[in-house]
């Protein structure tokens, strides 16, 4: 099957064709101009697809925001996507192109991408976490994303890790992502030196021998592990796939895995902590895999 995959993010929309083996071609990227509203974003995208693509048999859409995958509607979009909430994206694209359309939240889609084309290929059950500005999560059970009653399951970033701690955007305090996200790592490194304003610079600093960063990194790895250990004890999963910017570094994933092993009850400790393999293609391959999953 030739699938048109679309990955809608806050700054850009990526598109490509994907066949059933996961081979992708005809890449295109446009600005999402999300701040101009959901209708503008969708109209622009429809025009852009018409101008470039034809002959596809299905469309898979991975999008930022909370999604009702059955209906293909946007349940909730944040203030970066005004007017996107409530749009029936599936119906709009099916009316326009006359092919089956599936829509899913970007984190869930990326987890399915890993299931069909990446690090999750050998597992029916696994958890997927992405460490970036926040911490995204997805639960894959029997090769399907478990979504919960309101399609909100897997918000691992808001596990309350430190009651009475840092205030989170969600309104709670002490959430996992306030301590384990890349943003949290950068915040701690910035207290040492204003030059460490992103993850890449922190790892360059470590490579150049700035030993002050070692404690910052070790403390952060411990926070990352704390969240994962709770998940291991709840789900007893065979694997947890972790990804997102700084987690591209195999040695970092290895140190997180070692810490999780150390802190986990021994009967759970055969869990494998593995690196996501699709990188920035996860959204597109995940969108395509919506037509491959049950
Ligand atoms: Zn929170």
């Amino acid at each position: 099957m030739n699938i048109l995959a679309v990955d809608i993010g806050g700054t850009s929309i990526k598109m490509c064709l994907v066949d059933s083996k996961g081979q992708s071609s005809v890449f295109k990227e446009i600005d999402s101009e999300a701040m101009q509203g959901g209708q503008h974003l969708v109209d622009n995208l429809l025009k852009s697809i018409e101008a470039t693509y034809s002959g596809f048999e299905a469309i898979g859409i991975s999008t930022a925001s909370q999604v009702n995958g059955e209906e293909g509607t946007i349940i909730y979009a944040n203030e970066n996507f005004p007017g996107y909430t409530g749009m029936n994206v599936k119906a709009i694209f099916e009316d326009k192109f006359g092919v089956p359309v599936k829509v899913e939240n970007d984190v869930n889609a990326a987890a399915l991408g890993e299931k069909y084309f990446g690090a999750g290929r050998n597992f029916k059950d696994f958890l997927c976490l992405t460490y970036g500005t926040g911490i995204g999560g997805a639960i894959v059970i029997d090769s399907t994303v478990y979504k919960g009653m309101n399609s909100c399951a897997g918000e691992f970033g808001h596990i309350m890790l430190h009651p009475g701690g840092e205030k989170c955007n969600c309104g709670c305090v002490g959430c996992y992502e306030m301590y384990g996200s890349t943003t949290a790592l950068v915040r701690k490194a910035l207290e040492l030196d204003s030059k460490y304003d992103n993850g890449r610079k922190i790892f360059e600093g470590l490579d150049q021998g700035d030993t002050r960063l070692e404690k910052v990194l070790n403390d952060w790895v411990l926070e990352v592990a704390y969240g994962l250990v709770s998940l291991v004890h709840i789900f007893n999963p065979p694997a947890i796939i972790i990804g997102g910017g700084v987690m591209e570094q195999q040695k970092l994933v290895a140190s997180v895995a070692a810490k999780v092993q150390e802190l986990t009850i021994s009967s759970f400790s055969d869990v494998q902590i593995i690196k996501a393999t699709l990188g920035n293609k996860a959204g597109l391959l995940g969108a395509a895999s919506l037509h491959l999953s049950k």
Side-chain angles (χ1 to χ4, degrees):
M1 193 195 300
N2 214 11
I3 302 163
L4 175 66
V6 180
D7 182 12
I8 302 174
T11 53
S12 72
I13 303 176
K14 299 185 190 107
M15 291 161 262
C16 72
L17 294 173
V18 179
D19 69 19
S20 46
K21 291 188 178 133
Q23 297 296 322
S24 43
S25 59
V26 201
F27 285 91
K28 185 173 185 183
E29 185 164 355
I30 59 172
D31 290 338
S32 45
E33 299 172 353
M35 284 308 287
Q36 294 185 49
Q39 192 63 52
H40 172 83
L41 181 153
V42 168
D43 288 345
N44 225 5
L45 176 54
L46 292 172
K47 275 188 224 147
S48 182
I49 292 171
E50 262 191 319
T52 307
Y53 298 96
S54 61
F56 48 85
E57 297 153 86
I59 302 175
I61 300 174
S62 156
T63 179
S65 304
Q66 203 179 316
V67 173
N68 180 327
E70 306 276 303
E71 295 173 6
T73 51
I74 307 300
I75 300 172
Y76 174 75
N78 67 23
E79 65 281 3
N80 298 324
F81 293 78
Y84 199 33
T85 300
M87 287 186 81
N88 190 327
V89 175
K90 176 181 161 76
I92 293 169
F93 281 77
E94 284 186 340
D95 284 352
K96 178 80 179 178
F97 296 107
V99 296
V101 176
K102 291 194 176 180
V103 187
E104 188 50 271
N105 152 278
D106 50 2
V107 180
N108 289 344
L112 277 181
E114 292 291 342
K115 163 67 207 157
Y116 284 93
F117 303 117
R121 265 181 296 195
N122 298 325
F123 300 97
K124 271 169 45 187
D125 306 326
F126 62 89
L127 306 176
C128 211
L129 287 93
T130 307
Y131 296 80
T133 314
I135 298 176
I139 304 160
V140 176
I141 297 174
D142 201 16
S143 303
T144 306
V145 175
Y146 173 76
K147 302 185 65 170
M149 183 173 71
N150 299 322
S151 305
C152 303
E155 284 286 3
F156 300 142
H158 303 285
I159 293 171
M160 195 180 283
L161 209 60
H162 295 279
E166 307 253 4
K167 190 160 185 1
C168 177
N169 289 332
C170 75
C172 290
V173 292
C175 291
Y176 182 30
E177 69 179 30
M178 297 309 294
Y179 298 85
S181 61
T182 306
T183 308
L185 172 66
V186 171
R187 199 170 55 236
K188 287 291 181 191
L190 278 173
E191 289 172 12
L192 292 178
D193 197 320
S194 60
K195 69 183 175 186
Y196 295 130
D197 59 0
N198 67 43
R200 183 178 50 78
K201 290 180 189 168
I202 294 169
F203 286 91
E204 281 171 6
L206 276 161
D207 286 342
Q208 286 159 11
D210 187 343
T211 50
R212 298 175 303 165
L213 287 167
E214 287 171 12
K215 179 173 173 9
V216 168
L217 186 68
N218 290 340
D219 288 350
W220 180 75
V221 165
L222 192 58
E223 296 288 351
V224 170
Y226 284 153
L228 293 176
V229 166
S230 293
L231 295 172
V232 169
H233 290 149
I234 295 166
F235 289 96
N236 186 21
I240 300 182
I241 297 172
I242 60 179
V246 293
M247 291 297 185
E248 285 298 310
Q249 313 207 26
Q250 184 60 48
K251 67 178 178 190
L252 182 57
V253 174
S255 50
V256 168
K259 201 41 100 176
V260 171
Q261 299 284 346
E262 185 189 318
L263 298 171
T264 303
I265 296 169
S266 62
S267 52
F268 293 75
S269 64
D270 49 357
V271 60
Q272 295 180 51
I273 309 291
I274 47 184
K275 189 168 86 66
T277 55
L278 299 183
N280 59 11
K281 270 182 152 184
L284 283 171
L285 289 176
S289 63
L290 294 171
H291 288 280
L292 304 173
S293 60
K294 285 187 262 180

